[in-house]
Amino acid sequence: MRAWAVLWSIARYEMLLLVRSWAFRIFSVLALAVAALVPAAVALPRDVTYFFNRALPGAFPLLGLKLFNVFLGLIAVFLATEFLKRDRRHDTSQVFYTQSFSNAAYVLGKFLGIFILLFLLLGLVLIIIGVIHIFFSRTPFVLQPYLLYIVLVTLPTVLFMVGLSVFLGSLIRSQPVVYLIALAYAFFSLVIVGPKAGAAFDSFAYFTPVIHSDFIGLGNAGALFLLRGGTAALGLGLIFAATLFMKRLRQSSIMNRGAAALAVVLTVMGVALLIVHIRGGNADKGFRAELRAASVTP
């Protein structure tokens, strides 16, 4: 079988299994409910909502999308570890194990299936937010923030949380332990660290300043692409690294060596981008401190 045909077959099979799962259906209904209620709570009241949620077109979708992004990251943990549990306990992938393909193709196919489902769910959420934005909000509708938030907010979160979960699941055979570690990381990211360290550990983009203005666009575009690009690169590196720890015979040494090289390159790239981002943030803080010291009258 050709590489792309193998990837698509595995991805399509994974999507069918997940769609039939009641857990995924419940998560999807909850996500759509959150996506509908939060923007409605912002749009419908006439005097209670903060003014910037109405003055800036990019602020309206960002509030609901940030909350949904945390929810989506936790869903990604469940979906990414669910296929490992199914393979070990229920042998749901024996139809593929009889074929000759590499571990990298198998993991990437599973990831592609999860990725497509999550982004279909994201598309429904954005449609709901967009409909509320256009018909029920007094804030002008602008399409550009929606597209930018997909790239800068949602995409790196999905890549990192899926990569972390698959990597942990390939090392640890206990799904509850993987859940516990992922939830501990989410608590560490959202509660303990938060915006500290230049938001380098803010994988959910909850504290990251990413608001879009229709006058100046993204005022911190360079810092955002460093931060979120580093998070996305780390996630991809973990996905490729997970292919090296699968309990299955390796069918292609070339594919496995390529996956190992990509895992190293992407991980180093992600760490380097985050380090550059942190150093840039520290330099900006030092420069502002110098300006404040110089402006103080003796």
Side-chain angles (χ1 to χ4, degrees):
M1 299 176 68
R2 294 182 179 180
W4 285 110
V6 170
L7 288 177
W8 176 242
S9 298
I10 297 173
R12 184 176 58 182
Y13 186 67
E14 181 66 19
M15 286 190 289
L16 289 174
L17 290 175
L18 289 176
V19 168
R20 295 172 182 173
S21 170
W22 278 105
F24 176 75
R25 296 177 183 178
I26 293 173
F27 278 136
S28 300
V29 171
L30 290 176
L32 294 175
V34 170
L37 292 176
V38 173
V42 174
L44 296 181
R46 295 301 178 183
D47 299 317
V48 179
T49 309
Y50 289 112
F51 178 72
F52 70 87
N53 286 330
R54 299 182 181 184
L56 295 177
F60 183 85
L62 185 61
L63 178 62
L65 195 58
K66 278 198 171 186
L67 294 175
F68 172 74
N69 200 48
V70 176
F71 192 76
L72 188 65
L74 298 179
I75 295 177
V77 173
F78 170 79
L79 296 182
T81 55
E82 183 67 14
F83 83 84
L84 295 172
K85 184 188 77 172
R86 282 191 271 103
D87 291 351
R88 290 167 182 166
R89 294 185 181 181
H90 306 296
D91 295 332
T92 55
S93 294
Q94 293 301 318
V95 63
F96 288 108
Y97 283 166
T98 59
Q99 305 294 328
S100 179
F101 56 85
S102 65
N103 292 344
Y106 178 72
V107 173
L108 290 177
K110 291 285 188 177
F111 165 73
L112 182 62
I114 296 171
F115 185 84
I116 292 174
L117 272 185
L118 289 179
F119 268 77
L120 288 176
L121 182 61
L122 174 65
L124 290 176
V125 168
L126 291 177
I127 290 174
I128 292 174
I129 295 176
V131 169
I132 296 175
H133 193 170
I134 294 172
F135 294 103
F136 300 99
S137 173
R138 291 184 291 179
T139 306
F141 177 81
V142 179
L143 181 61
Q144 187 177 4
Y146 286 81
L147 301 178
L148 285 174
Y149 294 157
I150 292 174
V151 177
L152 295 176
V153 177
T154 306
L155 179 60
T157 297
V158 171
L159 290 177
F160 182 79
M161 294 307 297
V162 171
L164 178 65
S165 303
V166 172
F167 179 74
L168 291 175
S170 63
L171 293 178
I172 306 171
R173 300 186 64 85
S174 174
Q175 189 183 26
V177 174
V178 176
Y179 283 159
L180 183 62
I181 295 175
L183 291 176
Y185 174 79
F187 180 82
F188 173 79
S189 173
L190 294 171
V191 179
I192 298 178
V193 178
K196 300 176 182 177
F201 296 96
D202 186 21
S203 304
F204 299 93
Y206 189 77
F207 299 98
T208 303
V210 72
I211 193 166
H212 177 271
S213 170
D214 51 341
F215 289 101
I216 63 172
L218 293 171
N220 57 340
L224 280 176
F225 280 105
L226 284 175
L227 175 60
R228 302 304 287 168
T231 302
L234 281 176
L236 288 173
L238 289 172
I239 291 172
F240 282 106
T243 65
L244 306 175
F245 296 95
M246 284 193 61
K247 307 299 181 182
R248 180 178 176 268
L249 293 177
R250 300 179 179 181
Q251 300 296 316
S252 173
S253 59
I254 297 177
M255 287 288 292
N256 285 283
R257 290 174 184 173
L262 286 173
V264 173
V265 170
L266 289 170
T267 302
V268 172
M269 181 187 301
V271 173
L273 289 175
L274 292 178
I275 290 175
V276 172
H277 168 74
I278 294 174
R279 288 184 176 179
N282 292 335
D284 291 340
K285 290 180 181 179
F287 179 68
R288 288 193 294 269
E290 292 178 1
L291 290 179
R292 285 195 299 267
S295 63
V296 175
T297 56

